[in-house]
mmCIF file of all heavy atoms in Angstrom:
data_model
loop_
_atom_site.group_PDB
_atom_site.id
_atom_site.type_symbol
_atom_site.label_atom_id
_atom_site.label_comp_id
_atom_site.label_asym_id
_atom_site.label_seq_id
_atom_site.Cartn_x
_atom_site.Cartn_y
_atom_site.Cartn_z
ATOM 1 N N HIS A 39 -11.407 -1.526 -14.830
ATOM 2 C CA HIS A 39 -12.243 -2.246 -15.884
ATOM 3 C C HIS A 39 -13.660 -2.282 -15.309
ATOM 4 O O HIS A 39 -13.976 -2.870 -14.306
ATOM 5 C CB HIS A 39 -11.729 -3.583 -16.154
ATOM 6 C CG HIS A 39 -10.329 -3.584 -16.703
ATOM 7 N ND1 HIS A 39 -10.106 -3.507 -18.015
ATOM 8 C CD2 HIS A 39 -9.163 -3.665 -16.091
ATOM 9 C CE1 HIS A 39 -8.760 -3.639 -18.191
ATOM 10 N NE2 HIS A 39 -8.189 -3.677 -16.993
ATOM 11 N N TRP A 80 3.465 0.045 -35.138
ATOM 12 C CA TRP A 80 3.962 0.943 -34.092
ATOM 13 C C TRP A 80 5.418 1.101 -34.181
ATOM 14 O O TRP A 80 6.060 2.111 -33.791
ATOM 15 C CB TRP A 80 3.492 0.481 -32.641
ATOM 16 C CG TRP A 80 2.026 0.707 -32.446
ATOM 17 C CD1 TRP A 80 1.010 -0.024 -33.018
ATOM 18 C CD2 TRP A 80 1.439 1.799 -31.709
ATOM 19 N NE1 TRP A 80 -0.128 0.556 -32.538
ATOM 20 C CE2 TRP A 80 0.110 1.654 -31.770
ATOM 21 C CE3 TRP A 80 1.987 2.876 -30.976
ATOM 22 C CZ2 TRP A 80 -0.808 2.501 -31.153
ATOM 23 C CZ3 TRP A 80 1.069 3.681 -30.316
ATOM 24 C CH2 TRP A 80 -0.293 3.544 -30.464
ATOM 25 N N ARG A 85 6.885 4.392 -32.016
ATOM 26 C CA ARG A 85 6.232 4.474 -30.744
ATOM 27 C C ARG A 85 6.131 3.078 -30.000
ATOM 28 O O ARG A 85 5.726 3.032 -28.828
ATOM 29 C CB ARG A 85 4.805 5.016 -30.821
ATOM 30 C CG ARG A 85 4.903 6.576 -31.181
ATOM 31 C CD ARG A 85 3.712 7.401 -30.669
ATOM 32 N NE ARG A 85 2.456 7.073 -31.435
ATOM 33 C CZ ARG A 85 1.307 7.638 -31.177
ATOM 34 N NH1 ARG A 85 1.263 8.595 -30.257
ATOM 35 N NH2 ARG A 85 0.245 7.353 -31.860
ATOM 36 N N TRP A 86 6.498 2.039 -30.666
ATOM 37 C CA TRP A 86 6.485 0.732 -30.028
ATOM 38 C C TRP A 86 7.441 0.764 -28.767
ATOM 39 O O TRP A 86 7.119 0.334 -27.694
ATOM 40 C CB TRP A 86 7.006 -0.365 -31.012
ATOM 41 C CG TRP A 86 7.081 -1.756 -30.360
ATOM 42 C CD1 TRP A 86 8.193 -2.332 -29.892
ATOM 43 C CD2 TRP A 86 5.968 -2.620 -30.049
ATOM 44 N NE1 TRP A 86 7.895 -3.633 -29.377
ATOM 45 C CE2 TRP A 86 6.481 -3.776 -29.452
ATOM 46 C CE3 TRP A 86 4.599 -2.509 -30.259
ATOM 47 C CZ2 TRP A 86 5.711 -4.795 -29.078
ATOM 48 C CZ3 TRP A 86 3.783 -3.574 -29.855
ATOM 49 C CH2 TRP A 86 4.348 -4.781 -29.279
ATOM 50 N N GLU A 87 8.558 1.458 -28.949
ATOM 51 C CA GLU A 87 9.441 1.666 -27.791
ATOM 52 C C GLU A 87 8.996 2.830 -26.972
ATOM 53 O O GLU A 87 8.948 2.756 -25.744
ATOM 54 C CB GLU A 87 10.898 1.897 -28.313
ATOM 55 C CG GLU A 87 11.561 0.702 -28.964
ATOM 56 C CD GLU A 87 11.062 0.480 -30.420
ATOM 57 O OE1 GLU A 87 10.442 1.373 -31.016
ATOM 58 O OE2 GLU A 87 11.208 -0.680 -30.865
ATOM 59 N N ALA A 88 8.601 3.942 -27.605
ATOM 60 C CA ALA A 88 8.362 5.159 -26.837
ATOM 61 C C ALA A 88 7.235 5.060 -25.900
ATOM 62 O O ALA A 88 7.199 5.700 -24.858
ATOM 63 C CB ALA A 88 8.093 6.286 -27.889
ATOM 64 N N MET A 89 6.181 4.226 -26.166
ATOM 65 C CA MET A 89 5.018 4.146 -25.310
ATOM 66 C C MET A 89 5.345 3.412 -24.026
ATOM 67 O O MET A 89 4.583 3.554 -23.023
ATOM 68 C CB MET A 89 3.923 3.420 -26.019
ATOM 69 C CG MET A 89 3.199 4.370 -27.011
ATOM 70 S SD MET A 89 2.729 5.922 -26.314
ATOM 71 C CE MET A 89 1.765 6.654 -27.638
ATOM 72 N N GLY A 90 6.388 2.613 -23.984
ATOM 73 C CA GLY A 90 6.791 2.047 -22.749
ATOM 74 C C GLY A 90 5.761 1.086 -22.060
ATOM 75 O O GLY A 90 5.035 0.398 -22.810
ATOM 76 N N GLU A 91 5.706 1.139 -20.820
ATOM 77 C CA GLU A 91 4.828 0.195 -20.097
ATOM 78 C C GLU A 91 3.373 0.588 -20.110
ATOM 79 O O GLU A 91 2.507 -0.238 -19.643
ATOM 80 C CB GLU A 91 5.312 0.099 -18.640
ATOM 81 C CG GLU A 91 6.630 -0.449 -18.435
ATOM 82 C CD GLU A 91 6.923 -0.686 -16.944
ATOM 83 O OE1 GLU A 91 6.751 0.309 -16.163
ATOM 84 O OE2 GLU A 91 7.408 -1.748 -16.598
ATOM 85 N N GLU A 92 2.989 1.649 -20.685
ATOM 86 C CA GLU A 92 1.553 2.066 -20.702
ATOM 87 C C GLU A 92 0.818 1.265 -21.786
ATOM 88 O O GLU A 92 -0.457 1.295 -21.764
ATOM 89 C CB GLU A 92 1.425 3.540 -20.917
ATOM 90 C CG GLU A 92 0.103 4.112 -20.382
ATOM 91 C CD GLU A 92 -0.084 5.525 -20.569
ATOM 92 O OE1 GLU A 92 0.955 6.227 -20.848
ATOM 93 O OE2 GLU A 92 -1.248 5.961 -20.551
ATOM 94 N N MET A 93 1.550 0.613 -22.631
ATOM 95 C CA MET A 93 0.950 -0.111 -23.770
ATOM 96 C C MET A 93 0.704 -1.616 -23.422
ATOM 97 O O MET A 93 1.688 -2.210 -22.936
ATOM 98 C CB MET A 93 1.711 -0.017 -25.034
ATOM 99 C CG MET A 93 0.999 -0.560 -26.208
ATOM 100 S SD MET A 93 1.440 0.396 -27.773
ATOM 101 C CE MET A 93 3.039 -0.140 -27.981
ATOM 102 N N PHE A 94 -0.503 -2.137 -23.547
ATOM 103 C CA PHE A 94 -0.674 -3.543 -23.329
ATOM 104 C C PHE A 94 -0.114 -4.278 -24.603
ATOM 105 O O PHE A 94 -0.424 -3.922 -25.708
ATOM 106 C CB PHE A 94 -2.125 -3.828 -23.262
ATOM 107 C CG PHE A 94 -2.805 -3.560 -21.910
ATOM 108 C CD1 PHE A 94 -3.655 -2.445 -21.728
ATOM 109 C CD2 PHE A 94 -2.529 -4.445 -20.877
ATOM 110 C CE1 PHE A 94 -4.210 -2.185 -20.514
ATOM 111 C CE2 PHE A 94 -3.121 -4.197 -19.607
ATOM 112 C CZ PHE A 94 -3.961 -3.190 -19.430
ATOM 113 N N ARG A 95 0.758 -5.217 -24.273
ATOM 114 C CA ARG A 95 1.373 -5.976 -25.382
ATOM 115 C C ARG A 95 1.129 -7.489 -25.284
ATOM 116 O O ARG A 95 0.959 -7.973 -24.133
ATOM 117 C CB ARG A 95 2.902 -5.693 -25.296
ATOM 118 C CG ARG A 95 3.267 -4.305 -25.506
ATOM 119 C CD ARG A 95 4.717 -4.063 -24.978
ATOM 120 N NE ARG A 95 4.909 -2.554 -24.746
ATOM 121 C CZ ARG A 95 5.524 -1.802 -25.581
ATOM 122 N NH1 ARG A 95 6.009 -2.237 -26.704
ATOM 123 N NH2 ARG A 95 5.712 -0.444 -25.326
ATOM 124 N N HIS A 104 2.023 -8.031 -30.778
ATOM 125 C CA HIS A 104 0.852 -7.199 -31.012
ATOM 126 C C HIS A 104 0.682 -6.254 -29.770
ATOM 127 O O HIS A 104 1.268 -6.435 -28.799
ATOM 128 C CB HIS A 104 -0.395 -7.988 -31.149
ATOM 129 C CG HIS A 104 -0.448 -8.829 -32.396
ATOM 130 N ND1 HIS A 104 0.275 -9.981 -32.661
ATOM 131 C CD2 HIS A 104 -1.173 -8.662 -33.617
ATOM 132 C CE1 HIS A 104 0.031 -10.402 -33.805
ATOM 133 N NE2 HIS A 104 -0.843 -9.664 -34.380
ATOM 134 N N CYS A 105 -0.289 -5.266 -29.951
ATOM 135 C CA CYS A 105 -0.550 -4.463 -28.791
ATOM 136 C C CYS A 105 -2.045 -4.073 -28.889
ATOM 137 O O CYS A 105 -2.657 -4.229 -29.994
ATOM 138 C CB CYS A 105 0.283 -3.255 -28.783
ATOM 139 S SG CYS A 105 -0.037 -1.996 -30.111
ATOM 140 N N LEU A 106 -2.611 -3.665 -27.797
ATOM 141 C CA LEU A 106 -3.992 -3.180 -27.754
ATOM 142 C C LEU A 106 -3.874 -1.725 -28.002
ATOM 143 O O LEU A 106 -3.107 -0.952 -27.238
ATOM 144 C CB LEU A 106 -4.658 -3.584 -26.426
ATOM 145 C CG LEU A 106 -4.822 -4.992 -26.176
ATOM 146 C CD1 LEU A 106 -5.451 -5.299 -24.840
ATOM 147 C CD2 LEU A 106 -5.716 -5.706 -27.297
ATOM 148 N N GLY A 107 -4.695 -1.145 -28.888
ATOM 149 C CA GLY A 107 -4.481 0.258 -29.283
ATOM 150 C C GLY A 107 -4.768 1.172 -28.202
ATOM 151 O O GLY A 107 -5.779 1.142 -27.535
ATOM 152 N N MET A 108 -3.846 2.099 -27.916
ATOM 153 C CA MET A 108 -3.996 3.274 -27.013
ATOM 154 C C MET A 108 -4.573 4.506 -27.712
ATOM 155 O O MET A 108 -5.073 5.417 -27.131
ATOM 156 C CB MET A 108 -2.700 3.622 -26.423
ATOM 157 C CG MET A 108 -1.773 2.540 -25.956
ATOM 158 S SD MET A 108 -0.102 3.149 -25.609
ATOM 159 C CE MET A 108 -0.467 4.279 -24.340
ATOM 160 N N THR A 109 -4.381 4.510 -29.026
ATOM 161 C CA THR A 109 -4.717 5.626 -29.950
ATOM 162 C C THR A 109 -4.422 5.098 -31.313
ATOM 163 O O THR A 109 -3.848 4.032 -31.513
ATOM 164 C CB THR A 109 -3.872 6.848 -29.533
ATOM 165 O OG1 THR A 109 -4.185 7.909 -30.415
ATOM 166 C CG2 THR A 109 -2.365 6.535 -29.597
ATOM 167 N N LYS A 137 -10.365 1.812 -26.026
ATOM 168 C CA LYS A 137 -8.911 2.138 -26.008
ATOM 169 C C LYS A 137 -8.388 1.360 -24.752
ATOM 170 O O LYS A 137 -9.081 1.221 -23.690
ATOM 171 C CB LYS A 137 -8.540 3.539 -25.838
ATOM 172 C CG LYS A 137 -9.067 4.340 -27.065
ATOM 173 C CD LYS A 137 -8.163 4.094 -28.261
ATOM 174 C CE LYS A 137 -8.431 5.026 -29.414
ATOM 175 N NZ LYS A 137 -9.642 4.592 -30.255
ATOM 176 N N PHE A 138 -7.204 0.964 -24.802
ATOM 177 C CA PHE A 138 -6.511 0.242 -23.741
ATOM 178 C C PHE A 138 -5.257 0.960 -23.288
ATOM 179 O O PHE A 138 -4.398 1.261 -24.100
ATOM 180 C CB PHE A 138 -6.169 -1.177 -24.074
ATOM 181 C CG PHE A 138 -7.324 -1.976 -24.465
ATOM 182 C CD1 PHE A 138 -7.843 -1.979 -25.782
ATOM 183 C CD2 PHE A 138 -8.042 -2.705 -23.545
ATOM 184 C CE1 PHE A 138 -9.016 -2.713 -26.164
ATOM 185 C CE2 PHE A 138 -9.244 -3.507 -23.868
ATOM 186 C CZ PHE A 138 -9.614 -3.440 -25.239
ATOM 187 N N ARG A 139 -5.114 1.216 -21.997
ATOM 188 C CA ARG A 139 -3.842 1.869 -21.450
ATOM 189 C C ARG A 139 -3.582 1.148 -20.158
ATOM 190 O O ARG A 139 -4.409 1.227 -19.221
ATOM 191 C CB ARG A 139 -4.068 3.310 -21.365
ATOM 192 C CG ARG A 139 -4.219 3.956 -22.691
ATOM 193 C CD ARG A 139 -4.398 5.462 -22.600
ATOM 194 N NE ARG A 139 -4.723 5.946 -23.940
ATOM 195 C CZ ARG A 139 -4.864 7.210 -24.301
ATOM 196 N NH1 ARG A 139 -4.657 8.109 -23.334
ATOM 197 N NH2 ARG A 139 -5.195 7.503 -25.496
ATOM 198 N N ASP A 140 -2.358 0.702 -20.014
ATOM 199 C CA ASP A 140 -2.001 0.078 -18.743
ATOM 200 C C ASP A 140 -1.573 1.083 -17.722
ATOM 201 O O ASP A 140 -0.472 1.289 -17.391
ATOM 202 C CB ASP A 140 -0.852 -0.988 -19.000
ATOM 203 C CG ASP A 140 -0.679 -1.938 -17.871
ATOM 204 O OD1 ASP A 140 -1.222 -1.703 -16.809
ATOM 205 O OD2 ASP A 140 0.157 -2.863 -17.985
ATOM 206 N N GLU A 141 -2.636 1.759 -17.160
ATOM 207 C CA GLU A 141 -2.368 2.833 -16.198
ATOM 208 C C GLU A 141 -1.756 2.144 -14.987
ATOM 209 O O GLU A 141 -2.236 1.174 -14.497
ATOM 210 C CB GLU A 141 -3.706 3.383 -15.738
ATOM 211 C CG GLU A 141 -4.390 4.197 -16.839
ATOM 212 C CD GLU A 141 -3.673 5.571 -17.069
ATOM 213 O OE1 GLU A 141 -2.859 5.977 -16.278
ATOM 214 O OE2 GLU A 141 -3.914 6.181 -18.182
ATOM 215 N N PRO A 142 -0.797 2.848 -14.346
ATOM 216 C CA PRO A 142 -0.202 2.292 -13.169
ATOM 217 C C PRO A 142 -1.144 2.364 -12.041
ATOM 218 O O PRO A 142 -1.123 1.573 -11.170
ATOM 219 C CB PRO A 142 1.015 3.250 -12.907
ATOM 220 C CG PRO A 142 0.793 4.445 -13.749
ATOM 221 C CD PRO A 142 -0.072 4.020 -14.902
ATOM 222 N N ARG A 143 -2.018 3.361 -12.042
ATOM 223 C CA ARG A 143 -2.939 3.455 -10.887
ATOM 224 C C ARG A 143 -4.316 3.914 -11.388
ATOM 225 O O ARG A 143 -4.626 5.127 -11.414
ATOM 226 C CB ARG A 143 -2.454 4.368 -9.835
ATOM 227 C CG ARG A 143 -3.382 4.451 -8.638
ATOM 228 C CD ARG A 143 -2.666 4.780 -7.316
ATOM 229 N NE ARG A 143 -2.686 6.238 -7.070
ATOM 230 C CZ ARG A 143 -3.725 6.751 -6.406
ATOM 231 N NH1 ARG A 143 -4.692 6.137 -6.009
ATOM 232 N NH2 ARG A 143 -3.656 7.981 -6.063
ATOM 233 N N PRO A 144 -5.201 2.958 -11.715
ATOM 234 C CA PRO A 144 -6.610 3.364 -12.071
ATOM 235 C C PRO A 144 -7.198 3.909 -10.797
ATOM 236 O O PRO A 144 -6.876 3.458 -9.657
ATOM 237 C CB PRO A 144 -7.259 2.066 -12.434
ATOM 238 C CG PRO A 144 -6.147 1.070 -12.661
ATOM 239 C CD PRO A 144 -5.041 1.573 -11.842
ATOM 240 N N ARG A 150 -10.523 7.373 -14.292
ATOM 241 C CA ARG A 150 -9.257 6.884 -14.750
ATOM 242 C C ARG A 150 -9.194 5.478 -14.751
ATOM 243 O O ARG A 150 -9.173 4.763 -13.758
ATOM 244 C CB ARG A 150 -8.103 7.471 -13.824
ATOM 245 C CG ARG A 150 -6.741 7.097 -14.292
ATOM 246 C CD ARG A 150 -5.663 7.973 -13.600
ATOM 247 N NE ARG A 150 -4.545 8.141 -14.502
ATOM 248 C CZ ARG A 150 -4.556 9.042 -15.522
ATOM 249 N NH1 ARG A 150 -5.525 9.817 -15.654
ATOM 250 N NH2 ARG A 150 -3.472 9.102 -16.235
ATOM 251 N N VAL A 151 -9.173 4.858 -15.956
ATOM 252 C CA VAL A 151 -9.378 3.424 -16.160
ATOM 253 C C VAL A 151 -8.308 2.870 -17.163
ATOM 254 O O VAL A 151 -7.639 3.651 -17.798
ATOM 255 C CB VAL A 151 -10.729 3.030 -16.614
ATOM 256 C CG1 VAL A 151 -11.760 3.401 -15.513
ATOM 257 C CG2 VAL A 151 -11.091 3.831 -17.893
ATOM 258 N N ARG A 152 -8.296 1.651 -17.288
ATOM 259 C CA ARG A 152 -7.344 0.998 -18.225
ATOM 260 C C ARG A 152 -8.045 0.553 -19.524
ATOM 261 O O ARG A 152 -7.332 0.296 -20.517
ATOM 262 C CB ARG A 152 -6.761 -0.253 -17.527
ATOM 263 C CG ARG A 152 -6.111 0.023 -16.130
ATOM 264 C CD ARG A 152 -5.026 -0.820 -15.809
ATOM 265 N NE ARG A 152 -5.414 -2.216 -15.764
ATOM 266 C CZ ARG A 152 -4.547 -3.202 -15.581
ATOM 267 N NH1 ARG A 152 -3.284 -2.981 -15.473
ATOM 268 N NH2 ARG A 152 -4.981 -4.386 -15.466
ATOM 269 N N GLU A 153 -9.365 0.568 -19.551
ATOM 270 C CA GLU A 153 -10.101 0.197 -20.733
ATOM 271 C C GLU A 153 -11.224 1.125 -20.792
ATOM 272 O O GLU A 153 -12.049 1.239 -19.876
ATOM 273 C CB GLU A 153 -10.553 -1.265 -20.543
ATOM 274 C CG GLU A 153 -11.461 -1.702 -21.681
ATOM 275 C CD GLU A 153 -11.914 -3.192 -21.578
ATOM 276 O OE1 GLU A 153 -11.463 -3.891 -20.626
ATOM 277 O OE2 GLU A 153 -12.761 -3.578 -22.235
ATOM 278 N N PHE A 154 -11.387 1.950 -21.844
ATOM 279 C CA PHE A 154 -12.425 2.977 -21.925
ATOM 280 C C PHE A 154 -12.877 3.266 -23.361
ATOM 281 O O PHE A 154 -12.061 2.909 -24.343
ATOM 282 C CB PHE A 154 -11.983 4.218 -21.202
ATOM 283 C CG PHE A 154 -10.793 4.903 -21.776
ATOM 284 C CD1 PHE A 154 -10.923 5.865 -22.721
ATOM 285 C CD2 PHE A 154 -9.516 4.383 -21.546
ATOM 286 C CE1 PHE A 154 -9.758 6.515 -23.308
ATOM 287 C CE2 PHE A 154 -8.362 5.004 -22.066
ATOM 288 C CZ PHE A 154 -8.427 6.045 -22.999
ATOM 289 N N MET A 156 -13.281 5.774 -26.345
ATOM 290 C CA MET A 156 -12.818 7.233 -26.770
ATOM 291 C C MET A 156 -13.456 7.518 -28.134
ATOM 292 O O MET A 156 -13.533 6.616 -28.989
ATOM 293 C CB MET A 156 -11.302 7.234 -26.847
ATOM 294 C CG MET A 156 -10.822 8.604 -27.393
ATOM 295 S SD MET A 156 -9.054 8.529 -27.567
ATOM 296 C CE MET A 156 -8.492 9.118 -25.977
ATOM 297 N N GLY A 199 2.809 16.646 -24.932
ATOM 298 C CA GLY A 199 3.376 15.360 -24.329
ATOM 299 C C GLY A 199 3.928 14.486 -25.395
ATOM 300 O O GLY A 199 4.457 14.993 -26.398
ATOM 301 N N ALA A 200 3.681 13.143 -25.311
ATOM 302 C CA ALA A 200 4.272 12.252 -26.158
ATOM 303 C C ALA A 200 3.662 12.167 -27.522
ATOM 304 O O ALA A 200 4.084 11.489 -28.398
ATOM 305 C CB ALA A 200 4.212 10.785 -25.542
ATOM 306 N N MET A 201 2.526 12.918 -27.702
ATOM 307 C CA MET A 201 1.901 12.919 -29.023
ATOM 308 C C MET A 201 2.827 13.726 -30.012
ATOM 309 O O MET A 201 2.648 13.459 -31.208
ATOM 310 C CB MET A 201 0.545 13.588 -28.939
ATOM 311 C CG MET A 201 -0.428 12.831 -28.181
ATOM 312 S SD MET A 201 -0.934 11.289 -29.045
ATOM 313 C CE MET A 201 -1.941 12.011 -30.343
ATOM 314 N N GLN A 304 7.110 18.169 -16.614
ATOM 315 C CA GLN A 304 6.608 18.226 -17.957
ATOM 316 C C GLN A 304 7.205 19.283 -18.822
ATOM 317 O O GLN A 304 7.501 19.123 -20.068
ATOM 318 C CB GLN A 304 5.065 18.327 -17.951
ATOM 319 C CG GLN A 304 4.475 18.096 -19.238
ATOM 320 C CD GLN A 304 4.593 16.721 -19.791
ATOM 321 O OE1 GLN A 304 4.420 15.744 -19.105
ATOM 322 N NE2 GLN A 304 4.954 16.572 -21.095
ATOM 323 N N ALA A 313 11.638 11.545 -24.409
ATOM 324 C CA ALA A 313 10.710 10.664 -23.774
ATOM 325 C C ALA A 313 11.219 10.151 -22.403
ATOM 326 O O ALA A 313 10.500 9.935 -21.463
ATOM 327 C CB ALA A 313 10.335 9.414 -24.685
ATOM 328 N N GLU A 407 -9.885 16.312 -17.403
ATOM 329 C CA GLU A 407 -9.632 16.505 -18.787
ATOM 330 C C GLU A 407 -10.618 15.608 -19.543
ATOM 331 O O GLU A 407 -10.529 14.396 -19.559
ATOM 332 C CB GLU A 407 -8.198 16.075 -19.081
ATOM 333 C CG GLU A 407 -7.882 16.144 -20.596
ATOM 334 C CD GLU A 407 -6.497 15.460 -20.882
ATOM 335 O OE1 GLU A 407 -5.751 15.212 -19.996
ATOM 336 O OE2 GLU A 407 -6.353 15.198 -22.091
ATOM 337 N N ARG A 447 -15.571 9.119 -19.116
ATOM 338 C CA ARG A 447 -14.997 10.201 -18.272
ATOM 339 C C ARG A 447 -15.889 11.428 -18.350
ATOM 340 O O ARG A 447 -16.172 12.135 -17.398
ATOM 341 C CB ARG A 447 -13.528 10.535 -18.684
ATOM 342 C CG ARG A 447 -12.935 11.538 -17.820
ATOM 343 C CD ARG A 447 -11.560 11.927 -18.220
ATOM 344 N NE ARG A 447 -10.520 10.974 -17.812
ATOM 345 C CZ ARG A 447 -9.282 11.112 -18.056
ATOM 346 N NH1 ARG A 447 -8.809 12.172 -18.704
ATOM 347 N NH2 ARG A 447 -8.382 10.175 -17.642
ATOM 348 P P A B 74 3.349 13.386 -7.037
ATOM 349 O OP1 A B 74 4.092 14.678 -7.246
ATOM 350 O OP2 A B 74 2.057 13.252 -7.682
ATOM 351 O "O5'" A B 74 4.256 12.196 -7.599
ATOM 352 C "C5'" A B 74 5.673 12.201 -7.303
ATOM 353 C "C4'" A B 74 6.316 10.972 -7.824
ATOM 354 O "O4'" A B 74 5.668 9.834 -7.222
ATOM 355 C "C3'" A B 74 6.117 10.770 -9.356
ATOM 356 O "O3'" A B 74 7.072 11.406 -10.138
ATOM 357 C "C2'" A B 74 6.244 9.227 -9.469
ATOM 358 O "O2'" A B 74 7.662 8.884 -9.434
ATOM 359 C "C1'" A B 74 5.561 8.790 -8.186
ATOM 360 N N9 A B 74 4.113 8.539 -8.427
ATOM 361 C C8 A B 74 3.113 9.328 -8.124
ATOM 362 N N7 A B 74 1.935 8.887 -8.534
ATOM 363 C C5 A B 74 2.248 7.676 -9.059
ATOM 364 C C6 A B 74 1.462 6.744 -9.669
ATOM 365 N N6 A B 74 0.149 6.746 -9.808
ATOM 366 N N1 A B 74 2.122 5.536 -10.181
ATOM 367 C C2 A B 74 3.457 5.503 -10.080
ATOM 368 N N3 A B 74 4.303 6.367 -9.547
ATOM 369 C C4 A B 74 3.634 7.406 -9.087
ATOM 370 P P C B 75 6.584 12.073 -11.470
ATOM 371 O OP1 C B 75 7.844 12.538 -12.133
ATOM 372 O OP2 C B 75 5.461 13.026 -11.280
ATOM 373 O "O5'" C B 75 6.058 10.851 -12.289
ATOM 374 C "C5'" C B 75 6.889 9.842 -12.848
ATOM 375 C "C4'" C B 75 6.073 8.741 -13.458
ATOM 376 O "O4'" C B 75 5.134 8.231 -12.470
ATOM 377 C "C3'" C B 75 5.184 9.117 -14.613
ATOM 378 O "O3'" C B 75 5.951 9.096 -15.806
ATOM 379 C "C2'" C B 75 4.138 8.060 -14.586
ATOM 380 O "O2'" C B 75 4.680 6.782 -15.109
ATOM 381 C "C1'" C B 75 3.979 7.845 -13.135
ATOM 382 N N1 C B 75 2.834 8.667 -12.576
ATOM 383 C C2 C B 75 1.490 8.288 -12.735
ATOM 384 O O2 C B 75 1.378 7.121 -13.347
ATOM 385 N N3 C B 75 0.473 8.987 -12.342
ATOM 386 C C4 C B 75 0.744 10.147 -11.735
ATOM 387 N N4 C B 75 -0.294 10.868 -11.325
ATOM 388 C C5 C B 75 2.087 10.639 -11.501
ATOM 389 C C6 C B 75 3.094 9.860 -11.957
ATOM 390 P P C B 76 5.559 10.190 -16.931
ATOM 391 O OP1 C B 76 6.443 9.973 -18.039
ATOM 392 O OP2 C B 76 5.512 11.602 -16.317
ATOM 393 O "O5'" C B 76 4.053 9.888 -17.377
ATOM 394 C "C5'" C B 76 3.840 8.563 -17.984
ATOM 395 C "C4'" C B 76 2.366 8.414 -18.145
ATOM 396 O "O4'" C B 76 1.794 8.360 -16.869
ATOM 397 C "C3'" C B 76 1.737 9.473 -19.011
ATOM 398 O "O3'" C B 76 1.761 9.260 -20.317
ATOM 399 C "C2'" C B 76 0.264 9.335 -18.423
ATOM 400 O "O2'" C B 76 -0.432 8.259 -19.110
ATOM 401 C "C1'" C B 76 0.445 8.985 -16.996
ATOM 402 N N1 C B 76 0.419 10.194 -16.073
ATOM 403 C C2 C B 76 -0.902 10.578 -15.693
ATOM 404 O O2 C B 76 -1.847 9.960 -16.034
ATOM 405 N N3 C B 76 -0.927 11.628 -14.872
ATOM 406 C C4 C B 76 0.145 12.275 -14.465
ATOM 407 N N4 C B 76 0.005 13.287 -13.611
ATOM 408 C C5 C B 76 1.421 11.886 -14.870
ATOM 409 C C6 C B 76 1.498 10.856 -15.661
ATOM 410 P P A B 77 2.500 10.354 -21.218
ATOM 411 O OP1 A B 77 3.530 9.625 -21.973
ATOM 412 O OP2 A B 77 2.773 11.509 -20.494
ATOM 413 O "O5'" A B 77 1.369 10.766 -22.269
ATOM 414 C "C5'" A B 77 1.734 10.446 -23.618
ATOM 415 C "C4'" A B 77 0.956 11.336 -24.526
ATOM 416 O "O4'" A B 77 0.149 10.546 -25.438
ATOM 417 C "C3'" A B 77 0.024 12.314 -23.949
ATOM 418 O "O3'" A B 77 0.017 13.545 -24.652
ATOM 419 C "C2'" A B 77 -1.327 11.611 -24.071
ATOM 420 O "O2'" A B 77 -2.384 12.526 -24.096
ATOM 421 C "C1'" A B 77 -1.096 10.982 -25.430
ATOM 422 N N9 A B 77 -1.901 9.852 -25.737
ATOM 423 C C8 A B 77 -1.693 8.615 -26.041
ATOM 424 N N7 A B 77 -2.691 7.813 -26.274
ATOM 425 C C5 A B 77 -3.731 8.652 -26.012
ATOM 426 C C6 A B 77 -5.132 8.425 -26.037
ATOM 427 N N6 A B 77 -5.670 7.303 -26.280
ATOM 428 N N1 A B 77 -5.967 9.445 -25.706
ATOM 429 C C2 A B 77 -5.356 10.627 -25.449
ATOM 430 N N3 A B 77 -4.088 10.952 -25.448
ATOM 431 C C4 A B 77 -3.324 9.904 -25.685
#
Side-chain angles (χ1 to χ4, degrees):
Chain A
H39 300 269
W80 288 75
R85 290 207 293 182
W86 178 257
E87 291 78 20
M89 283 307 187
E91 293 188 312
E92 206 183 338
M93 189 149 73
F94 279 107
R95 297 159 199 264
H104 290 74
C105 66
L106 296 176
M108 316 168 59
T109 176
K137 296 287 188 283
F138 299 87
R139 295 179 188 186
D140 192 353
E141 291 287 343
R143 182 152 96 84
R150 182 164 211 81
V151 291
R152 306 207 301 172
E153 177 180 350
F154 62 99
M156 176 186 268
M201 291 291 287
Q304 187 67 44
E407 179 192 345
R447 187 182 277 183

